[in-house]
Amino acid sequence: MMLLTSIILILAGYALGACWRAAGLRPPRDAKPSVQPPARPSSDSSQGDSPDRKRRQNGPRKIRVFRRFPAVELATALLFLWTYARFGLTGEALIGAALVSLSVIVTVSDLRFRRIPNKVLLAFLPVLVVLRLMFPLGPIWNHLLGACFGLGALMMIAWLTRGIGMGDVKLFALLGWAVGLPYVILAFVLAFVMGSLAGGILWGTGRLSARPSIPFAPCLAAGTLAAFGYGTPIIQGVLTLFH
């Protein structure tokens, strides 16, 4: 039974991952289309397949093959399987699947367009609200405070640094509602640790521009999923270190 359920979840996660990938890659309305430079006439066009022409033909083909690699689909399937292994067939597993789905879409969108679509957040808002009302972690005010903390903490950082967009603020408010206190605080810390590490790696490899900025939604999503799945043992381990 457990093996059959795992196979079904993997297949469902893979299929949904394709949908979430398409949703994340849908360009925003105000996104500017990329303008390709006009092709220059080649002086060797009459000489058959020259080395330069072969490189121009092979280059785009390699990019298309790479883009077809189902990384998003596989990640979604594995994360669905993780929620089942962590929580079983419970309400928390349903909430975990919703969090995974939201995280995948906003990660793809933020990496591709540096945007978090409002339509995605509005679509998942009633889902996470209803699921958490059905399966709360303690008093419901814990989740209300989690949403307030997520909204207030990122709003303050956005106001102080101008490096975080309102999409990140609204996303973390929704994630804070889903995990509640004190796990939203742990998610906040983990997200900034991941963001700092990613920024340091990109800076060290010379891939950051003169104005350092990295997509922060993947860090928020990863930190929240880590806090959602392992928040209690992590917090207990940290408290043990201080005693």
Side-chain angles (χ1 to χ4, degrees), residues 114 161-163 199 203 207-215:
R114 302 300 301 273
T161 65
R162 308 291 183 183
W203 179 82
R207 295 184 180 181
L208 275 184
S209 59
R211 184 182 179 183
S213 178
I214 62 172

Side-chain angles (χ1 to χ4, degrees), residues 1 17 27 63 79 82 93 105 116 139 149 179 183 197 211:
M1 181 64 183
I63 295 175
L79 286 172
W82 167 74
I105 296 176
I116 300 175
F149 177 87
V179 298
Y183 303 114
L197 290 175
R211 184 182 179 183

